Amino acid sequence: MAVLPPNVSQATFDDALRRFREVVGEEWVFSSDEDVDLYRDSYSPSWGEPGERMPSGAVAPIEVEQVQRIVRIANEFRVPLYPISTGKNLTYGGSAPNMSGTLVLDLKRMNRVLEVDERRAFALVEPGVSYFDLYNYIQERGLKLWIDCPDPGWGSVVGNSLDRGLGYTTWFFRDHFGAHCGMEVVLPNGELMRTGMGAVPGSRSWQDYRYGFGPWVDGLFSQGNFGVVTKMGCWLLPEPDAYLSGIVSVPRRRDLIPLVDVVNYLENSSCIGQPRYRSPLGAARNEPPLRDLLARNPFPDDAELDRVAEEMGVPSWACQLQFYGGTEVVQAMWRQARQKLAEAIPGATFEDEKYYEMPMTGEQIANERKVAFGVPNLAIFSIGARSEQNPIPVDGHLDFTCVIPKTGEDFLNASRVFFDAMQGTEVLNTNGQFPFSPFLVPSTWHARNFIIIVGLPTYRTNTEANQRTRAWMSQLIEVASANGWSEYRASPTFQDQVMAAYSFNDHVLRNFLETLKDAADPNGIISPGRGGVWPGPYRSNRMTPV
C-alpha cells in the first residue's frame, strides 16, 4: 500500500499529485493502492514487513519538458522522486525506491530510438527503450550492427547502463556504462544539461567523444542520484564476419592459475570475447570416488582433488573461448590461443566447438545461447522455474555480486574464504543448496576482474525465510569487506551497507559525494539514498540492515 513521503502531509501530497496531473494527464499519475502495488520490488527481501521500500505513487511523463516540470513541482512540494526506466532491474530493487514514500518517476513512455548510425556504430535512445526495442529497430532496417544485451532483454538500455549492467560479447561492449557516450540529464533543479560533446550547441559528435572538455561528470549519474537521464548514446558492435568458439580443458586444480593468466592475456589483447569457465570435475560430484571424498571432506585439498580427477579421467577446469572477427582472423586467433595455452599448461586439451559465418540463420540463432550474438531474450527465467527438479520455486532472489582480482590464486583463495566463513550458517542459494564449494567458478562479465555471484532466495509468504536471507546477505557483505573485497551493485536494502565498506580515510568517498549532493540537490529530490548517498534532509534514514 502507498505511503506518504517523509514530512509531507496528505493534503500537500494531494496538491502535488494534482499539479503532476496537469503536466502529464489524469491517466498517467498513479496513486491508488492497486496501482502503487505494481511498483513494489517483486524480489523484495522484506515483502510485507515494515522494512519493505514502498513508493507513494508514480508519475509517467512522455517527454523531457514534462520531466523538467515534474522535477520543479517536486521541489516546490518537497516530494522526492525515484526515476526508473522500465523498472525491470530485478534482484537489485526493481522499480522500488531506496526510501519509502518516494514517488516513482516512471520513464517507460519515453521509448523512442532517436538515431542509429550504421557507419559510426552508435545509437541514441530514450530511457524507455528496451534491448528488444533497439534490437528490433536494427533488424527491421537491415543494419549490420549488433547490440550487447544482458539477461533478460526486456530491461532498458539506459537503465541497465546506469546501473553498470553487463553483457556477453567482447570486453569493450560488455561493460554497458563503459560503452555509453553522451547523456541528456534533467538536473535536480529542473535545468537540462547535456554531457560530453553534447554541451556544444549544434554538435554532431555527441555520440563520438564522450568526455568533451573539462571534468567528466557522467559517472555521477551511474548508480547515482544527481539527475534524471532522458537521453543516452551507446556504442554498437559492427557485425563480425564470423564467430568461432573452442574449449580448453586442464587436468589439475592449480592449473587454473596459468589458465587465467593466458586467458587474461588473450582478452586484454582483444583476441577473444567473454571467456566462460566451468568445472567438469564439479559436474561429476555425485559419482564415485569424488562423491565418497566429498562425504569425508566437503572441501578437500588440491592433491586429493587432483588424485580423484586423474582417477576419474575428468578435467579440473575448462574454459570456452569465443572469437569474433574475419573468417580467417578467428581461425588464426584460435590457433594462437591453443599454442599459448599448450605452452603454459602441460596436459591441456582442446576442442573445436562452433563456427558460424554472418549473418546467421534463424535456425542457427534459435539453437544458440543468444546473448553471445547480441540477441535479447528471456531465457534467464528458465533458471529456477518450476520443474521436476524444482517443484516449488522461490518467488525471487537477491544477487550477491562480489568483485575480486582476476587471478587464479585470488579466485581459489576467495572460494575457500567464503566456504569457511559461511559454514554453519545454513546459507542456501535459490536451488536450496550451499553455494560455496571447491567447484565454484568465476563470473567473467567484467574484463578486468572476476565476480563471485550467489543468488539468495526471497519469498512473498515466508517472513522467517526472508529474515534468514537478509542475515546471509549481510554476513556475505561483511566477509567480503574483511578481505578487501566488495560488491559492485546491490539491492536498495543493502546499498548503505555496501557503501559503508568503501570506507577508506573515514568514508571520504561517501562524504565527498554527499557534499556534492547537498550542493546540487539541497531538497534531496532525486533518489534519496540511491547508491548509499543520502541528501541532508534525509540523511538520518541511512541504515545498515541485518
Side-chain angles (χ1 to χ4, degrees):
M1 63 188 71
V3 297
L4 288 173
N7 306 315
V8 175
S9 68
Q10 185 67 59
T12 299
F13 187 60
D14 290 342
D15 285 343
L17 293 182
R18 176 181 55 77
R19 294 280 299 280
F20 292 142
R21 292 187 181 101
E22 292 173 357
V23 174
V24 300
E26 181 80 24
E27 68 271 34
W28 298 112
V29 175
F30 308 102
S31 58
S32 71
D33 287 349
E34 183 180 16
D35 286 336
V36 173
D37 193 59
L38 298 175
Y39 288 92
R40 295 170 72 178
D41 176 5
S42 298
Y43 289 3
S44 173
S46 306
W47 188 272
E49 297 182 66
E52 183 183 357
R53 272 64 168 172
M54 295 293 296
S56 56
V59 55
I62 197 169
E63 59 187 9
V64 66
E65 292 80 7
Q66 291 183 356
V67 176
Q68 292 180 270
R69 292 173 64 189
I70 289 167
V71 168
R72 288 175 177 136
I73 293 168
N75 272 282
E76 180 182 344
F77 288 90
R78 301 297 193 269
V79 173
L81 302 172
Y82 187 76
I84 64 170
S85 298
T86 61
K88 303 296 188 183
N89 196 19
L90 301 179
T91 83
Y92 298 112
S95 54
N98 284 69
M99 184 178 75
S100 285
T102 305
L103 186 81
V104 175
L105 180 59
D106 187 346
L107 306 176
K108 65 188 173 189
R109 298 173 66 209
M110 298 176 64
N111 59 2
R112 295 179 299 164
V113 177
L114 299 168
E115 183 180 3
V116 175
D117 190 305
E118 184 177 29
R119 293 171 64 194
R120 291 148 68 195
F122 72 76
L124 179 65
V125 299
E126 292 183 326
V129 173
S130 71
Y131 286 95
F132 281 121
D133 293 333
L134 182 55
Y135 175 81
N136 290 336
Y137 183 99
I138 291 169
Q139 294 301 306
E140 289 165 1
R141 288 156 180 79
L143 305 179
K144 291 187 178 299
L145 294 170
W146 283 14
I147 66 171
D148 186 286
C149 55
D151 290 315
W154 63 2
S156 160
V157 176
V158 172
N160 185 267
S161 300
L162 293 180
D163 203 43
R164 299 204 277 274
L166 300 155
Y168 293 91
T169 60
T170 61
W171 71 268
F172 187 81
F173 297 97
R174 289 205 308 272
D175 178 355
H176 294 165
F177 186 72
H180 96 278
C181 187
M183 297 178 181
E184 179 183 85
V185 185
V186 174
L187 297 175
N189 63 1
E191 287 186 322
L192 190 65
M193 179 179 75
R194 289 185 174 179
T195 69
M197 299 306 295
V200 178
S203 172
R204 293 196 63 255
S205 54
W206 191 13
Q207 274 64 66
D208 298 304
Y209 183 64
R210 59 186 171 191
Y211 301 114
F213 180 78
W216 190 53
V217 300
D218 292 41
L220 293 173
F221 310 105
S222 169
Q223 294 187 4
N225 52 9
F226 288 83
V228 183
V229 177
T230 52
K231 294 181 180 67
M232 191 188 76
C234 61
W235 290 329
L236 304 173
L237 297 76
E239 182 181 74
D241 293 329
Y243 166 91
L244 180 149
S245 66
I247 297 174
V248 54
S249 300
V250 298
R252 295 165 294 275
R253 179 164 176 80
R254 295 194 71 79
D255 285 341
L256 182 66
I257 296 169
L259 176 62
V260 169
D261 287 344
V262 177
V263 171
N264 284 354
Y265 169 83
L266 295 170
E267 185 166 22
N268 295 341
S269 303
S270 299
C271 289
I272 61 172
Q274 185 194 27
R276 302 181 67 217
Y277 293 90
R278 59 187 177 87
S279 172
L281 185 61
R285 73 183 71 194
N286 293 323
E287 300 177 15
L290 181 56
R291 179 191 61 203
D292 301 332
L293 173 62
L294 295 175
R296 298 192 301 272
N297 181 359
F299 207 116
D301 63 31
D302 295 346
E304 291 178 298
L305 289 169
D306 288 346
R307 176 183 57 78
V308 170
E310 183 177 11
E311 181 179 345
M312 298 176 70
V314 177
S316 286
W317 305 100
C319 185
Q320 182 197 47
L321 305 180
Q322 302 181 92
F323 303 86
Y324 302 83
T327 55
E328 296 182 6
V329 171
V330 295
Q331 300 287 351
M333 289 193 295
W334 177 217
R335 286 194 299 271
Q336 179 198 27
R338 292 199 304 267
Q339 178 182 345
K340 287 190 171 295
L341 288 160
E343 291 172 352
I345 309 170
T349 60
F350 304 93
E351 175 188 349
D352 295 334
E353 191 183 28
K354 297 170 183 176
Y355 175 77
Y356 296 115
E357 293 186 5
M358 303 300 154
M360 295 169 66
T361 67
E363 182 179 358
Q364 288 172 331
I365 293 175
N367 293 323
E368 274 301 332
R369 182 171 160 268
K370 296 179 179 62
V371 287
F373 303 92
V375 180
N377 62 90
L378 297 176
I380 189 70
F381 290 112
S382 65
I383 300 175
R386 191 180 307 277
S387 66
E388 291 182 4
Q389 293 74 31
N390 188 25
I392 307 177
V394 299
D395 295 314
H397 66 277
L398 297 178
D399 280 344
F400 171 73
T401 47
C402 182
V403 172
I404 67 168
K406 201 174 188 182
T407 73
E409 295 97 329
D410 280 287
F411 180 74
L412 293 173
N413 173 59
S415 300
R416 186 73 201 220
V417 165
F418 280 113
F419 177 87
D420 289 345
M422 302 306 290
Q423 281 288 290
T425 65
E426 299 181 350
V427 60
L428 301 175
N429 63 18
T430 52
N431 294 320
Q433 300 169 338
F434 185 75
F436 301 106
S437 79
F439 314 114
L440 187 70
V441 296
S443 294
T444 54
W445 296 299
H446 290 144
R448 293 281 181 164
N449 62 269
F450 282 143
I451 298 171
I452 290 179
I453 182 169
V454 175
L456 302 177
T458 62
Y459 303 88
R460 296 284 183 90
T461 58
N462 193 332
T463 298
E464 183 179 352
N466 280 341
Q467 291 171 345
R468 287 197 300 270
T469 289
R470 296 198 302 272
W472 293 337
M473 177 67 82
S474 184
Q475 185 170 348
L476 285 169
I477 295 169
E478 290 178 5
V479 171
S481 179
N483 286 273
W485 311 317
S486 191
E487 293 190 90
Y488 81 98
R489 58 176 171 169
S491 163
T493 304
F494 296 93
Q495 286 178 13
D496 286 341
Q497 186 180 1
V498 172
M499 176 54 89
Y502 290 77
S503 59
F504 170 78
N505 196 15
D506 196 24
H507 304 277
V508 66
L509 173 63
R510 186 179 67 192
N511 295 341
F512 176 71
L513 290 170
E514 291 184 343
T515 299
L516 296 180
K517 178 67 173 173
D518 288 345
D521 188 7
N523 296 324
I525 292 302
I526 306 298
S527 301
R530 181 81 167 95
V533 175
W534 287 91
Y538 304 113
R539 202 154 288 152
S540 61
N541 289 61
R542 177 180 290 132
M543 62 179 293
T544 300
V546 293

